Amino acid sequence: SWDFNLSEGKPMSMCCMQYIDDTFHVFDEVVIDGARTADTIDELDHKGLLRTDWNYQICGDAAGKHRDTRGMRSDWDIILKELQNRNLNVAFKVPPANPGVRNRHNKVNAYCKNAEGQVRLFVYDKAPTVDEGLRLVKLKPGANYIEDDSKRYQHVTTALGYAVYML
């Protein structure tokens, strides 16, 4: 799942997870300052996470469907082409619009721990920025339920939230 960014202090961010029996297992991440979209795919490849015997569900920022100002293709066009060029089994699960922040937060929080005390979201050692973000992310002070995106870790938690909301 991806969250696309270009600004300084707002890295291109994505997290890798398995969704098994209504439980998320976040096992890796790619968080790169100043990265191009294709750089995230190259990093996944470098980590050995692109395998033809796996099935991928691609989630993330709906804004990535818009053509990028740096080129004629959208972020999602770039990702899908890169993954298809590697002969991967890909299902595209990006909504037409991003969910509301409050709805996304409520769903992620319910997976962290619901009213019955069940934990259905686990973060492993290779995803330290996800772990940091889930512990520290906050809303902008004085704003009307807007995320404080000035923190580097917030963007990968947004990517996680897009996946939790969609799956």
Side-chain angles (χ1 to χ4, degrees):
S1 186
W2 274 263
D3 184 39
F4 304 108
N5 293 290
L6 293 172
S7 305
E8 187 174 324
K10 297 179 182 181
M12 177 76 73
S13 302
M14 62 91 55
C15 57
C16 303
M17 65 196 84
Q18 285 187 294
Y19 182 59
I20 305 167
D21 297 327
D22 199 32
T23 301
F24 290 91
H25 299 268
V26 183
F27 61 86
D28 214 325
E29 64 184 35
V30 174
V31 180
I32 308 173
D33 291 293
R36 296 174 308 113
T37 303
D39 293 338
T40 60
I41 303 299
D42 291 341
E43 183 63 20
L44 290 174
D45 205 4
H46 174 74
K47 290 180 174 209
L49 295 174
L50 299 181
R51 298 176 41 150
T52 57
D53 59 330
W54 291 357
N55 296 312
Y56 297 86
Q57 295 184 39
I58 306 303
C59 301
D61 190 350
K65 290 182 181 179
H66 304 293
R67 187 170 53 88
D68 189 293
T69 57
R70 297 163 291 166
M72 296 302 293
R73 298 183 300 162
S74 74
D75 290 306
W76 290 119
D77 291 337
I78 294 165
I79 289 167
L80 288 174
K81 183 168 177 38
E82 291 286 331
L83 296 177
Q84 289 168 345
N85 285 346
R86 289 167 168 84
N87 296 314
L88 300 176
N89 300 311
V90 177
F92 190 68
K93 297 213 172 188
V94 177
N98 288 330
V101 174
R102 186 182 304 269
N103 290 337
R104 183 168 35 89
H105 285 187
N106 286 342
K107 194 157 185 185
V108 169
N109 288 341
Y111 275 88
C112 288
K113 191 170 196 175
N114 66 19
E116 290 142 16
Q118 297 170 316
V119 175
R120 297 175 296 152
L121 191 152
F122 299 91
V123 180
Y124 297 89
D125 291 345
K126 289 186 179 179
T129 314
V130 173
D131 178 65
E132 181 181 28
L134 287 173
R135 286 183 293 104
L136 301 176
V137 73
K138 296 179 182 176
L139 299 175
K140 278 188 179 178
N144 188 17
Y145 216 90
I146 298 173
E147 293 171 310
D148 180 0
D149 68 352
S150 67
K151 305 298 185 213
R152 191 171 187 278
Y153 51 73
Q154 184 272 327
H155 302 281
V156 74
T157 61
T158 297
L160 171 65
Y162 292 143
V164 170
Y165 195 85
M166 281 307 297
L167 299 177

